[in-house]
Amino acid sequence: MSETPASAAQPAEGGNPGGTQGKKDERLLHRSLARRLMSRPELGSIVGAAAVFVFFSVIAEPFLRASSLSTVLYASSTIGIMAVPVALLMIGGEFDLSAGVMVVSSALVSSMFSYQMTANTWVGVGVSLLVTLAIGVFNGVLLTRTRLPSFVITLGTFFMLTGLNLGFTKLISGTVSTKSIADMEGFESARAVFASHLSVGGVDIQITILWWIGLVALATWILLRTRVGNWIFAVGGNADAARAVGVPVNKTKIGLYMGVAFAAWISGQHLLFSYDAIQSGDGVGNEFLYIIAAAVGGCLMTGGFGSAIGAAVGAFIFGMASKGIVYAQWNPDWYKFFLGAMLLLATLLNAWVRKRAEDKG
């Protein structure tokens, strides 16, 4: 599907192999490279990230300190871990409004199972993985079987999970938060995997940053180097046309929802092992952060276009904004205004870049 036809790599038949034709081909190749750069989905977000970085570097003196940049990266990673699979889902033409509360659901299952069963915390972590992936399968299967919009299906899942999170937590623990599992077997080793930090040059680097980089690398490889990546772009561009040429549309969409669920499991375990207890009402509204980060990173709302790197840059922009506002000693309420403004600007910029690339193509 995305393979370049063999003829595209060959000189035109009957063309003069001499110097004039060679120079023309060289110029065409140069313009083609420029068009490819202009059409990259993450271009706008990279320019935006550079502008935000320079802005806060100038107005907030503590922003450029190593410890401050570490904090910015940590804030970015907590959004970016989820923004990457959400970006892939958006490229595939769908949304997941349950992603924010799914993170908390994953943490609650892990915590309550371990505590109530007095089991090693790794058992709870494993059960949580299975339950969270099942939620992803539920979203994907319901979408492909009913053909309802993903907005409607995942909005329903959002409300169901919100109610289950609160209801089960109150039923089992008697309060809206879980019991501490800090003294249970396996807690320290699980914390080392999901919520530890490394010291690099005297600066603490949270392990979520490594999870984030790993997911970005994996998602980029899938999109650009595998058949599945071709399927994702095809499904998001035109699902009926993709189905007609043999793309497994339903399986691709179910797999994308499972990818979101897997990232929610990682984020949920980080949340649990960072604080050893979970508030069941958390996570509401975070799904919009993930979607906005992906959109700012170049993912079209209509599907078929975007990148994992762009979503990571979008998350980095919001990490810089959330902490830069604090370092500049501004009212943090401005952060929400920034989110909305960046979403509108990014959507307009991405549409403009895409249109120019298509007009020149």
Side-chain angles (χ1 to χ4, degrees):
M1 292 180 49
S2 65
E3 293 177 356
T4 303
S7 59
Q10 302 295 330
E13 290 185 8
N16 182 1
T20 303
Q21 184 65 40
K23 291 180 181 178
K24 185 181 294 184
D25 290 344
E26 190 175 4
R27 291 195 300 270
L28 288 172
L29 179 62
H30 178 71
R31 288 199 296 269
S32 176
L33 177 61
R35 284 200 301 269
R36 287 200 299 270
L37 290 175
M38 279 293 295
S39 64
R40 288 303 305 167
E42 60 271 9
L43 176 64
S45 63
I46 292 174
V47 173
V52 172
F53 183 85
V54 171
F55 177 74
F56 283 114
S57 297
V58 172
I59 69 168
E61 184 272 333
F63 186 77
L64 289 178
R65 296 174 185 168
S67 58
S68 299
L69 292 177
S70 173
T71 303
V72 167
L73 285 174
Y74 172 61
S76 304
S77 69
T78 57
I79 299 173
I81 286 174
M82 289 298 298
V84 169
V86 166
L88 266 63
L89 182 63
M90 290 175 63
I91 294 170
E94 307 296 348
F95 292 95
D96 191 347
L97 297 180
S98 66
V101 292
M102 196 190 306
V103 170
V104 178
S105 298
S106 171
L108 288 172
V109 170
S110 182
S111 176
M112 289 192 288
F113 188 91
S114 298
Y115 186 86
Q116 296 299 321
M117 299 299 177
T118 61
N120 187 297
T121 53
W122 280 105
V123 177
V125 168
V127 172
S128 174
L129 175 61
L130 295 177
V131 171
T132 311
L133 289 176
I135 296 171
V137 172
F138 173 82
N139 282 336
V141 169
L142 199 60
L143 175 78
T144 55
R145 292 292 179 87
T146 65
R147 302 294 178 90
L148 289 173
S150 57
F151 174 87
V152 174
I153 289 174
T154 59
L155 183 62
T157 309
F158 163 81
F159 281 111
M160 288 191 293
L161 290 179
T162 301
L164 287 172
N165 289 351
L166 288 167
F168 269 111
T169 305
K170 287 183 178 180
L171 180 65
I172 294 174
S173 66
T175 66
V176 295
S177 63
T178 61
K179 305 294 184 182
S180 173
I181 61 171
D183 59 348
M184 298 190 67
E185 184 180 358
F187 180 86
E188 290 301 327
S189 59
R191 169 174 277 181
V193 173
F194 296 106
S196 62
H197 59 86
L198 310 172
S199 182
V200 179
V203 178
D204 285 341
I205 302 296
Q206 297 292 330
I207 200 168
T208 50
I209 298 172
L210 302 183
W211 278 105
W212 179 34
I213 293 172
L215 287 175
V216 172
L218 176 62
T220 301
W221 175 75
I222 290 173
L223 283 177
L224 302 182
R225 293 288 183 264
T226 71
R227 181 181 299 177
V228 175
N230 292 336
W231 292 347
I232 293 171
F233 282 111
V235 167
N238 189 323
D240 292 332
R243 187 178 286 106
V245 297
V247 173
V249 173
N250 291 352
K251 290 181 179 179
T252 299
K253 291 191 175 186
I254 293 171
L256 289 172
Y257 275 104
M258 291 181 70
V260 174
F262 178 73
W265 171 74
I266 295 173
S267 295
Q269 303 318 296
H270 169 69
L271 191 64
L272 172 61
F273 292 106
S274 292
Y275 303 105
D276 71 56
I278 297 296
Q279 294 290 327
S280 57
D282 289 346
V284 176
N286 287 347
E287 58 277 353
F288 295 113
L289 292 178
Y290 312 145
I291 292 172
I292 294 172
V296 168
C299 293
L300 292 183
M301 296 292 186
T302 52
F305 189 76
S307 75
I309 293 175
V313 176
F316 183 52
I317 289 174
F318 291 136
M320 287 191 292
S322 65
K323 300 306 175 184
I325 287 173
V326 174
Y327 295 140
Q329 298 182 342
W330 291 356
N331 188 329
D333 293 339
W334 285 103
Y335 177 60
K336 294 294 179 67
F337 172 82
F338 179 84
L339 289 179
M342 284 300 298
L343 174 62
L344 291 176
L345 290 173
T347 303
L348 292 171
L349 178 61
N350 293 336
W352 178 78
V353 170
R354 181 75 185 273
K355 186 176 185 302
R356 281 184 62 85
E358 289 175 348
D359 290 344
K360 292 183 178 181

mmCIF file of all heavy atoms in Angstrom, residues 10 14 17 42 48 63 92 100 118 143-144 164 213 217 240 252 257 263 265 276 291 345 348:
data_model
loop_
_atom_site.group_PDB
_atom_site.id
_atom_site.type_symbol
_atom_site.label_atom_id
_atom_site.label_comp_id
_atom_site.label_asym_id
_atom_site.label_seq_id
_atom_site.Cartn_x
_atom_site.Cartn_y
_atom_site.Cartn_z
ATOM 1 N N GLN A 10 12.795 4.884 -11.285
ATOM 2 C CA GLN A 10 13.551 4.779 -12.518
ATOM 3 C C GLN A 10 13.420 6.068 -13.317
ATOM 4 O O GLN A 10 12.384 6.751 -13.269
ATOM 5 C CB GLN A 10 13.035 3.603 -13.360
ATOM 6 C CG GLN A 10 13.107 2.261 -12.633
ATOM 7 C CD GLN A 10 14.532 1.867 -12.344
ATOM 8 O OE1 GLN A 10 15.432 2.222 -13.083
ATOM 9 N NE2 GLN A 10 14.744 1.141 -11.257
ATOM 10 N N GLY A 14 13.155 6.875 -22.446
ATOM 11 C CA GLY A 14 13.461 7.738 -23.577
ATOM 12 C C GLY A 14 14.092 9.058 -23.179
ATOM 13 O O GLY A 14 14.350 9.887 -24.046
ATOM 14 N N PRO A 17 20.035 10.849 -21.118
ATOM 15 C CA PRO A 17 20.873 10.601 -19.944
ATOM 16 C C PRO A 17 21.953 11.644 -19.771
ATOM 17 O O PRO A 17 22.753 11.564 -18.866
ATOM 18 C CB PRO A 17 21.484 9.224 -20.245
ATOM 19 C CG PRO A 17 21.536 9.155 -21.739
ATOM 20 C CD PRO A 17 20.354 9.900 -22.225
ATOM 21 N N GLU A 42 4.700 16.095 12.019
ATOM 22 C CA GLU A 42 5.224 16.669 13.262
ATOM 23 C C GLU A 42 5.918 18.015 13.062
ATOM 24 O O GLU A 42 6.397 18.612 14.031
ATOM 25 C CB GLU A 42 6.213 15.706 13.926
ATOM 26 C CG GLU A 42 7.431 15.354 13.103
ATOM 27 C CD GLU A 42 7.216 14.155 12.213
ATOM 28 O OE1 GLU A 42 6.070 13.692 12.112
ATOM 29 O OE2 GLU A 42 8.200 13.678 11.610
ATOM 30 N N GLY A 48 6.422 24.678 17.092
ATOM 31 C CA GLY A 48 5.740 25.151 18.292
ATOM 32 C C GLY A 48 6.514 24.861 19.558
ATOM 33 O O GLY A 48 6.582 25.706 20.465
ATOM 34 N N PHE A 63 13.600 27.982 34.529
ATOM 35 C CA PHE A 63 13.190 26.994 33.533
ATOM 36 C C PHE A 63 14.363 26.207 32.965
ATOM 37 O O PHE A 63 14.239 25.019 32.667
ATOM 38 C CB PHE A 63 12.431 27.702 32.400
ATOM 39 C CG PHE A 63 11.841 26.773 31.382
ATOM 40 C CD1 PHE A 63 10.677 26.068 31.648
ATOM 41 C CD2 PHE A 63 12.444 26.594 30.140
ATOM 42 C CE1 PHE A 63 10.127 25.211 30.709
ATOM 43 C CE2 PHE A 63 11.905 25.741 29.193
ATOM 44 C CZ PHE A 63 10.739 25.056 29.486
ATOM 45 N N GLY A 92 -5.719 5.890 12.852
ATOM 46 C CA GLY A 92 -6.652 4.855 12.401
ATOM 47 C C GLY A 92 -8.089 5.322 12.310
ATOM 48 O O GLY A 92 -8.981 4.526 11.990
ATOM 49 N N GLY A 100 -8.596 8.213 29.945
ATOM 50 C CA GLY A 100 -8.194 8.809 31.215
ATOM 51 C C GLY A 100 -8.616 7.985 32.416
ATOM 52 O O GLY A 100 -7.812 7.692 33.309
ATOM 53 N N THR A 118 -4.419 -10.632 49.576
ATOM 54 C CA THR A 118 -3.113 -10.695 50.259
ATOM 55 C C THR A 118 -2.081 -11.399 49.390
ATOM 56 O O THR A 118 -1.331 -12.274 49.848
ATOM 57 C CB THR A 118 -3.236 -11.386 51.628
ATOM 58 O OG1 THR A 118 -3.694 -12.726 51.449
ATOM 59 C CG2 THR A 118 -4.179 -10.626 52.544
ATOM 60 N N LEU A 143 -17.113 -1.448 18.733
ATOM 61 C CA LEU A 143 -17.022 -0.512 17.612
ATOM 62 C C LEU A 143 -17.199 -1.233 16.283
ATOM 63 O O LEU A 143 -17.974 -0.801 15.424
ATOM 64 C CB LEU A 143 -15.669 0.202 17.647
ATOM 65 C CG LEU A 143 -15.368 1.124 16.461
ATOM 66 C CD1 LEU A 143 -16.106 2.442 16.616
ATOM 67 C CD2 LEU A 143 -13.861 1.371 16.325
ATOM 68 N N THR A 144 -16.491 -2.332 16.086
ATOM 69 C CA THR A 144 -16.516 -3.016 14.792
ATOM 70 C C THR A 144 -17.813 -3.786 14.561
ATOM 71 O O THR A 144 -18.221 -3.960 13.418
ATOM 72 C CB THR A 144 -15.319 -3.984 14.680
ATOM 73 O OG1 THR A 144 -15.328 -4.898 15.798
ATOM 74 C CG2 THR A 144 -14.004 -3.219 14.695
ATOM 75 N N LEU A 164 -17.888 2.424 37.920
ATOM 76 C CA LEU A 164 -17.277 1.213 38.494
ATOM 77 C C LEU A 164 -16.123 1.564 39.424
ATOM 78 O O LEU A 164 -15.957 0.943 40.484
ATOM 79 C CB LEU A 164 -16.794 0.299 37.376
ATOM 80 C CG LEU A 164 -17.878 -0.450 36.582
ATOM 81 C CD1 LEU A 164 -17.261 -1.158 35.383
ATOM 82 C CD2 LEU A 164 -18.607 -1.453 37.474
ATOM 83 N N ILE A 213 9.979 7.082 25.920
ATOM 84 C CA ILE A 213 10.876 6.995 24.754
ATOM 85 C C ILE A 213 10.733 5.634 24.076
ATOM 86 O O ILE A 213 10.698 5.537 22.844
ATOM 87 C CB ILE A 213 12.335 7.231 25.188
ATOM 88 C CG1 ILE A 213 12.514 8.683 25.669
ATOM 89 C CG2 ILE A 213 13.299 6.933 24.041
ATOM 90 C CD1 ILE A 213 13.874 8.949 26.288
ATOM 91 N N ALA A 217 9.513 4.990 20.189
ATOM 92 C CA ALA A 217 10.340 4.239 19.239
ATOM 93 C C ALA A 217 9.568 3.055 18.657
ATOM 94 O O ALA A 217 9.600 2.804 17.442
ATOM 95 C CB ALA A 217 11.620 3.760 19.929
ATOM 96 N N ASP A 240 -13.378 1.572 3.998
ATOM 97 C CA ASP A 240 -14.036 0.718 2.994
ATOM 98 C C ASP A 240 -13.063 0.343 1.884
ATOM 99 O O ASP A 240 -13.026 -0.813 1.439
ATOM 100 C CB ASP A 240 -15.253 1.446 2.412
ATOM 101 C CG ASP A 240 -16.368 1.606 3.440
ATOM 102 O OD1 ASP A 240 -16.455 0.758 4.355
ATOM 103 O OD2 ASP A 240 -17.142 2.577 3.319
ATOM 104 N N THR A 252 -7.411 -4.549 12.954
ATOM 105 C CA THR A 252 -6.537 -3.394 13.136
ATOM 106 C C THR A 252 -7.102 -2.448 14.190
ATOM 107 O O THR A 252 -6.378 -1.976 15.074
ATOM 108 C CB THR A 252 -6.361 -2.640 11.803
ATOM 109 O OG1 THR A 252 -5.768 -3.518 10.842
ATOM 110 C CG2 THR A 252 -5.462 -1.427 11.978
ATOM 111 N N TYR A 257 -7.113 -0.266 19.916
ATOM 112 C CA TYR A 257 -7.723 -0.049 21.243
ATOM 113 C C TYR A 257 -6.978 -0.831 22.319
ATOM 114 O O TYR A 257 -6.856 -0.370 23.463
ATOM 115 C CB TYR A 257 -9.202 -0.438 21.210
ATOM 116 C CG TYR A 257 -10.084 0.673 20.710
ATOM 117 C CD1 TYR A 257 -10.608 0.645 19.421
ATOM 118 C CD2 TYR A 257 -10.373 1.767 21.514
ATOM 119 C CE1 TYR A 257 -11.404 1.676 18.954
ATOM 120 C CE2 TYR A 257 -11.166 2.806 21.053
ATOM 121 C CZ TYR A 257 -11.680 2.752 19.772
ATOM 122 O OH TYR A 257 -12.455 3.793 19.312
ATOM 123 N N ALA A 263 -1.027 0.959 27.246
ATOM 124 C CA ALA A 263 -0.406 2.177 27.778
ATOM 125 C C ALA A 263 -1.114 2.637 29.051
ATOM 126 O O ALA A 263 -0.469 3.142 29.978
ATOM 127 C CB ALA A 263 -0.441 3.285 26.721
ATOM 128 N N TRP A 265 -2.415 0.694 31.207
ATOM 129 C CA TRP A 265 -1.911 -0.199 32.259
ATOM 130 C C TRP A 265 -0.568 0.301 32.789
ATOM 131 O O TRP A 265 -0.363 0.361 34.005
ATOM 132 C CB TRP A 265 -1.776 -1.618 31.705
ATOM 133 C CG TRP A 265 -1.073 -2.567 32.613
ATOM 134 C CD1 TRP A 265 -1.562 -3.138 33.756
ATOM 135 C CD2 TRP A 265 0.256 -3.076 32.448
ATOM 136 N NE1 TRP A 265 -0.620 -3.977 34.318
ATOM 137 C CE2 TRP A 265 0.507 -3.946 33.534
ATOM 138 C CE3 TRP A 265 1.252 -2.890 31.492
ATOM 139 C CZ2 TRP A 265 1.725 -4.627 33.682
ATOM 140 C CZ3 TRP A 265 2.455 -3.558 31.641
ATOM 141 C CH2 TRP A 265 2.681 -4.411 32.728
ATOM 142 N N ASP A 276 1.265 4.453 46.330
ATOM 143 C CA ASP A 276 0.860 3.232 47.044
ATOM 144 C C ASP A 276 -0.630 3.170 47.381
ATOM 145 O O ASP A 276 -1.098 2.207 47.986
ATOM 146 C CB ASP A 276 1.712 2.974 48.295
ATOM 147 C CG ASP A 276 1.477 3.926 49.459
ATOM 148 O OD1 ASP A 276 0.340 4.053 49.911
ATOM 149 O OD2 ASP A 276 2.468 4.538 49.910
ATOM 150 N N ILE A 291 -5.633 13.443 23.666
ATOM 151 C CA ILE A 291 -6.121 13.746 22.324
ATOM 152 C C ILE A 291 -5.525 15.052 21.812
ATOM 153 O O ILE A 291 -5.096 15.153 20.650
ATOM 154 C CB ILE A 291 -7.663 13.807 22.318
ATOM 155 C CG1 ILE A 291 -8.245 12.412 22.578
ATOM 156 C CG2 ILE A 291 -8.178 14.346 20.988
ATOM 157 C CD1 ILE A 291 -9.749 12.403 22.788
ATOM 158 N N LEU A 345 -4.854 26.282 17.219
ATOM 159 C CA LEU A 345 -3.745 26.689 16.361
ATOM 160 C C LEU A 345 -3.137 25.496 15.634
ATOM 161 O O LEU A 345 -2.818 25.567 14.443
ATOM 162 C CB LEU A 345 -2.672 27.405 17.188
ATOM 163 C CG LEU A 345 -3.038 28.794 17.713
ATOM 164 C CD1 LEU A 345 -1.948 29.307 18.649
ATOM 165 C CD2 LEU A 345 -3.254 29.771 16.558
ATOM 166 N N LEU A 348 -5.457 24.236 12.801
ATOM 167 C CA LEU A 348 -5.389 25.114 11.634
ATOM 168 C C LEU A 348 -4.066 24.965 10.892
ATOM 169 O O LEU A 348 -4.028 24.895 9.655
ATOM 170 C CB LEU A 348 -5.578 26.572 12.077
ATOM 171 C CG LEU A 348 -6.969 26.937 12.599
ATOM 172 C CD1 LEU A 348 -6.957 28.349 13.198
ATOM 173 C CD2 LEU A 348 -8.006 26.835 11.488
#
